[in-house]
Amino acid sequence: MIHSRTIEILVGAFMAAGLVAFFFLAMQVSNLSASSNGEGYEVTARFDNIGSLKVRSPVTMAGVRIGRVSKISFDRTTYEAVVTMRVETEYNVIPEDSFAKIFTAGLLGEQYIGLDPGGSEKYLQQGSEISLTQSALVLEEIIGQFLFSKAEEGDKVE
Amino acid sequence: MMESADNQEPLVRIRDLRFSRGNRVIFDGVDIDIPRGKVTAIMGPSGTGKTTLLKLIGGQLRPSSGTIHVDGQNIHRLGNRDLYKLRMRMGMLFQSGALLTDISVFENVAYPLNEHTDLPPSMIRKLVLLKLEAVGLRGARDLMPSELSGGMARRVALARAMVLDPMMIMYDEPFTGQDPISMGVLVELIRSLNDASRLSSIIVSHDVHETAAIADLIYVISNGKVIESGPPESMMDSKSAWTRQFMQGLADGPVPFHYPAAELADDLLEGAC
Amino acid sequence: MLDSLARLGRIGIGVLERLGRGHLLLLGMLRGVTDLLPRPGLLIKQIYSVGVLSILIISVSGLFVGMVLGLQGYYILSQFGAEQTLGVMVAASLVRELGPVVAALLFAGRAGSALTAEIGLMKATEQLSGLEMMAVDPVRRVLTPRFFAGFISMPLLAALFSALGVIGGYFVGVGLLGVDDGAFWAQMQAKIDLHEDVFNGAIKSVVFGLVCTWIALFQGFDAIPTSEGVSRATTRTVVHSSLAVLGLDFILTALMFGD
């Protein structure tokens, strides 16, 4: 029957179009290749204050995204935040004494971790801990410090 | 079972059937026996639940109490599988024909065969054409149901009901809204199919003359009870005034012409105030 | 006082009864999948009438919604000098929300109402009863293929909607308003996450497809078999489906994106 064959072809075309649309969303819109997860190795870092850093926040080096934050936990003995990041396998030559800082993208943007390379011959690997860290800048604290120093200056003048 | 082996056992035996829809009592203790190989008519005024009775026999509705045995089996005690097996041996002709509107006449008649048998297509084709020939519509096999007249749709539906060679066929108001010619055709068909295929027929109708012409046995029901039963001749000059009014179509009698109301004079005066 | 209490009780019982019948129907349709597998032809026919026939309205709407997003987004974003993030805005709103939700609303209006009317008319013309008397279960034979057709078509339609919307936004943003081509895509790819955004959107559309088709079929199956009953059921399908989609969208969004 010709009629039912046309229907089959149209249905096939519809399903193909739907799948292509999905593929488009996956590849072109969300860039599947860049968000490969599961691959890579995990390193940890301790911060006094992580600000508004979240799981899945980017980890960058020289502005290039090399991984993502995979877990954030709280150490009850030292009162520090323990951030676990998953770094992609291809970036496996990061010196052990690299410096991890929490930055803010733009004035109001999201927070991310930036790594500054150190000089060590040893490289970070699965389970390593980054010991040199700098906490997030909290706007209120900076303003507070600024006002405090201004007030001190004023006291000296008098 | 001894009983079902005995051919004198009625095909359908209804005992003390009670059924109500909401607060409205439709059947209030109905006893009916449908004999094998005969045309049995169930008659009564509109709204007495004649179609409901067919649905009860077909197991589509459950009675509040009472039993219905079809071919020795209590239809409301059957599991789904057995019920469907039994329904394959029952044909039903709906008032509107109930043909599937998205497939042609041929495919409609072939539908039960395709669903329930593994017959090869050539065999199905032969069977379908034979059944369509029996209702005189072999030439209309490629039409769609929307292209058929009401009478033709009913004949196609009849062919479909017959195609699995059932033991009984139930007709729901087969004559309503038919012109005299197609009415005559249907009357002829029901009688001849019943005699030729040795099936049992149940007709639900309020068309007295056509029904009386082909029925072997008539049950008259009204207000949820069987009023009278017997062969058509005895019904025409029944002792019961009600039956006479119904069979002869008199305007006034035990069933009053006027809907219950206050006295006319009082009603008119009240409006004047 | 007691009367109104009794009325309230009656309404409550009525609602519960309908819910019960609806769930029994859903169960019946899910069980019917065993009958469907050996006869894919039934499913294909229904995907045609539910899915293929909805393509036109879905694609045109998707394209235009994307274009409007491009225009409005550009207007707002350019005030902050952030036109480059137009792609992110268009894609995020489409993939997360507008794609699944608007596609589902259109689906309810286009395919859902048609399903209700079809099933309701089959009931009114005794076709469903007729099938039952032919020892064919109408739930398995008539409703199940339609249910799974809706279930399969909806995510595909939502994906089409989102993809065409992104293209519409690209056309307006890059083609007409002069946003940088590379920035449009790069920002989008950097911010839109496959798992978080695209998959969650797809899950939404699967849920909406299930709910819309279910409501449509139930309303048809439960309709009073008269022309008035069917027309009311059709209206109810559109109203109930739309409300269900919007309500569920809120719940799903809260579950998926609310950390």
Side-chain angles (χ1 to χ4, degrees):
Chain A
M1 287 213 290
I2 297 161
H3 192 56
S4 82
R5 175 139 186 86
T6 331
I7 285 178
E8 277 170 13
I9 292 168
L10 284 170
V11 168
F14 164 57
M15 298 188 75
L19 292 176
V20 165
F22 258 126
F23 205 66
F24 172 78
L25 292 178
M27 298 305 293
Q28 186 68 21
V29 174
S30 79
N31 204 358
L32 177 68
S33 45
S35 66
S36 59
N37 37 18
E39 296 287 306
Y41 59 97
E42 283 188 329
V43 296
T44 55
R46 289 167 175 271
F47 294 93
D48 293 333
N49 189 333
I50 57 165
S52 64
L53 194 74
K54 290 193 180 62
V55 172
R56 301 198 64 77
S57 292
V59 177
T60 64
M61 198 159 199
V64 178
R65 197 174 66 74
I66 59 168
R68 283 187 189 279
V69 173
S70 60
K71 194 178 137 205
I72 294 173
S73 57
F74 179 67
D75 187 329
R76 287 164 40 164
T77 52
T78 60
Y79 304 106
E80 284 174 323
V82 181
V83 175
T84 311
M85 352 171 193
R86 179 169 286 278
V87 181
E88 285 162 30
T89 327
E90 53 184 303
Y91 309 107
N92 56 359
V93 287
I94 299 166
E96 214 177 30
D97 57 350
S98 292
F99 198 12
K101 296 177 182 170
I102 296 180
F103 291 116
T104 308
L107 191 58
L108 302 166
E110 59 176 332
Q111 292 192 302
Y112 64 96
I113 295 181
L115 297 181
D116 283 347
S120 172
E121 300 273 302
K122 285 186 178 172
Y123 300 126
L124 287 174
Q125 53 192 339
Q126 171 69 29
S128 315
E129 183 173 330
I130 299 173
S131 44
L132 298 170
T133 62
Q134 179 189 313
S135 291
L137 290 176
V138 179
L139 206 56
E140 289 90 332
E141 277 180 12
I142 299 168
I143 294 170
Q145 277 172 4
F146 175 73
L147 289 178
F148 190 66
S149 61
K150 275 284 176 204
E152 274 187 342
E153 278 175 28
D155 282 345
K156 280 175 191 162
V157 171
E158 271 180 26
Chain B
M1 265 208 286
M2 285 262 293
E3 276 180 334
S4 62
D6 183 3
N7 249 8
Q8 292 317 110
E9 159 86 1
L11 182 62
V12 178
R13 192 176 58 186
I14 302 174
R15 286 292 173 268
D16 194 32
L17 179 73
R18 282 164 209 278
F19 182 80
S20 46
R21 189 167 272 158
N23 291 328
R24 212 164 71 93
V25 176
I26 295 181
F27 296 118
D28 186 17
V30 167
D31 297 325
I32 291 179
D33 285 328
I34 311 269
R36 288 169 194 270
K38 299 263 170 64
V39 177
T40 308
I42 294 164
M43 312 197 64
S46 312
T48 43
K50 301 187 295 293
T51 307
T52 311
L53 184 64
L54 292 187
K55 289 198 166 171
L56 283 163
I57 296 176
Q60 289 186 300
L61 293 174
R62 282 188 168 275
S64 317
S65 71
T67 57
I68 298 178
H69 284 83
V70 178
D71 199 26
Q73 294 174 288
N74 184 338
I75 192 150
H76 297 106
R77 286 277 172 79
L78 292 177
N80 238 8
R81 189 178 295 260
D82 291 329
L83 178 63
Y84 274 41
K85 223 177 251 171
L86 186 58
R87 276 187 190 159
M88 284 186 216
R89 301 199 287 144
M90 302 171 152
M92 179 147 171
L93 186 71
F94 286 87
Q95 209 166 335
S96 58
L99 296 175
L100 297 172
T101 42
D102 54 345
I103 52 179
S104 71
V105 165
F106 180 91
E107 287 166 60
N108 257 296
V109 179
Y111 193 88
L113 291 171
N114 285 327
E115 286 291 323
H116 297 306
T117 68
D118 296 321
L119 295 176
S122 62
M123 184 76 171
I124 289 182
R125 194 183 125 84
K126 268 180 211 145
L127 277 170
V128 171
L129 291 183
L130 281 175
K131 297 293 174 189
L132 279 174
E133 176 72 17
V135 297
L137 291 174
R138 190 165 43 87
R141 61 174 177 262
D142 292 326
L143 296 181
M144 295 302 281
S146 54
E147 298 170 291
L148 300 175
S149 72
M152 282 157 82
R154 263 178 231 190
R155 277 149 71 190
V156 173
L158 185 54
R160 183 178 69 175
M162 300 270 309
V163 80
L164 284 174
D165 286 320
M167 58 180 177
M168 62 186 274
I169 294 193
M170 298 186 272
Y171 300 90
D172 184 9
E173 302 278 5
F175 309 119
T176 326
Q178 299 292 306
D179 62 67
I181 300 176
S182 47
M183 189 114 88
V185 171
L186 277 168
V187 169
E188 191 57 38
L189 264 177
I190 293 173
R191 186 73 240 184
S192 63
L193 284 176
N194 190 75
D195 297 346
S197 319
R198 319 183 83 205
L199 25 83
S200 316
S201 309
I202 306 174
I203 300 178
V204 146
S205 178
H206 52 234
D207 292 290
V208 175
H209 293 287
E210 291 73 22
T211 313
I214 52 169
D216 299 310
L217 180 64
I218 293 182
Y219 280 90
V220 178
I221 50 178
S222 175
N223 291 328
K225 286 196 163 39
V226 173
I227 305 261
E228 215 169 337
S229 65
E233 311 83 57
S234 73
M235 304 293 279
M236 279 297 186
D237 36 37
S238 159
K239 289 184 288 293
S240 147
W242 192 94
T243 313
R244 268 208 312 282
Q245 188 196 355
F246 179 75
M247 296 300 282
Q248 295 171 13
L250 306 173
D252 212 352
V255 180
F257 170 70
H258 291 290
Y259 191 83
E263 283 297 315
L264 178 64
D266 297 347
D267 238 3
L268 292 175
L269 282 174
E270 206 173 316
C273 295
Chain C
M1 182 63 200
L2 277 178
D3 270 1
S4 52
L5 206 62
R7 199 175 308 132
L8 189 68
R10 232 183 355 260
I11 293 172
I13 291 171
V15 168
L16 284 179
E17 276 179 357
R18 284 176 76 82
L19 270 177
R21 286 201 300 276
H23 282 88
L24 284 177
L25 181 71
L26 182 65
L27 200 69
M29 292 190 294
L30 291 176
R31 279 198 191 143
V33 76
T34 50
D35 282 16
L36 195 60
L37 290 176
R39 321 172 77 166
L42 290 176
L43 186 63
I44 288 178
K45 208 170 157 191
Q46 294 309 325
I47 291 183
Y48 174 76
S49 62
V50 170
V52 174
L53 294 181
S54 309
I55 288 181
L56 182 70
I57 186 167
I58 293 279
S59 356
V60 172
S61 316
L63 205 59
F64 275 92
V65 166
M67 281 157 61
V68 169
L69 276 176
L71 277 176
Q72 295 282 19
Y74 181 84
Y75 172 70
I76 304 275
L77 291 174
S78 64
Q79 296 189 346
F80 302 102
E83 304 96 288
Q84 266 79 7
T85 56
L86 183 66
V88 184
M89 200 210 92
V90 170
S93 29
L94 277 168
V95 170
R96 284 179 163 203
E97 290 295 335
L98 291 176
V101 172
V102 179
L105 293 178
L106 293 170
F107 181 81
R110 164 66 188 76
S113 57
L115 281 176
T116 305
E118 190 188 10
I119 301 293
L121 281 175
M122 284 183 87
K123 190 181 183 190
T125 54
E126 297 177 311
Q127 291 183 52
L128 297 183
S129 267
L131 283 175
E132 235 172 58
M133 285 309 296
M134 283 192 279
V136 174
D137 185 348
V139 172
R140 284 169 171 244
R141 189 62 174 64
V142 177
L143 299 192
T144 303
R146 286 167 171 77
F147 178 70
F148 282 96
F151 191 58
I152 293 170
S153 300
M154 186 67 240
L156 297 176
L157 290 171
L160 267 180
F161 186 97
S162 299
L164 284 167
V166 170
I167 292 170
Y170 172 80
F171 176 68
V172 168
V174 176
L176 294 182
L177 299 172
V179 174
D180 181 62
D181 189 3
F184 186 88
W185 292 114
Q187 291 269 6
M188 190 190 294
Q189 288 169 1
K191 288 280 159 55
I192 303 291
D193 186 76
L194 179 70
H195 179 78
E196 184 128 317
D197 298 315
V198 178
F199 283 178
N200 278 345
I203 290 171
K204 275 187 182 178
S205 63
V206 169
V207 173
F208 295 161
L210 187 145
V211 170
C212 285
T213 326
W214 178 25
I215 289 178
L217 290 173
F218 174 68
Q219 292 294 357
F221 197 64
D222 207 50
I224 300 161
T226 58
S227 41
E228 198 203 356
V230 174
S231 85
R232 271 201 210 160
T234 312
T235 314
R236 267 206 304 270
T237 293
V238 177
V239 174
H240 289 190
S241 309
S242 309
L243 292 178
V245 164
L246 295 170
L248 277 173
D249 182 51
F250 176 73
I251 294 171
L252 287 175
T253 306
L255 288 177
M256 288 169 175
F257 302 114
D259 276 324

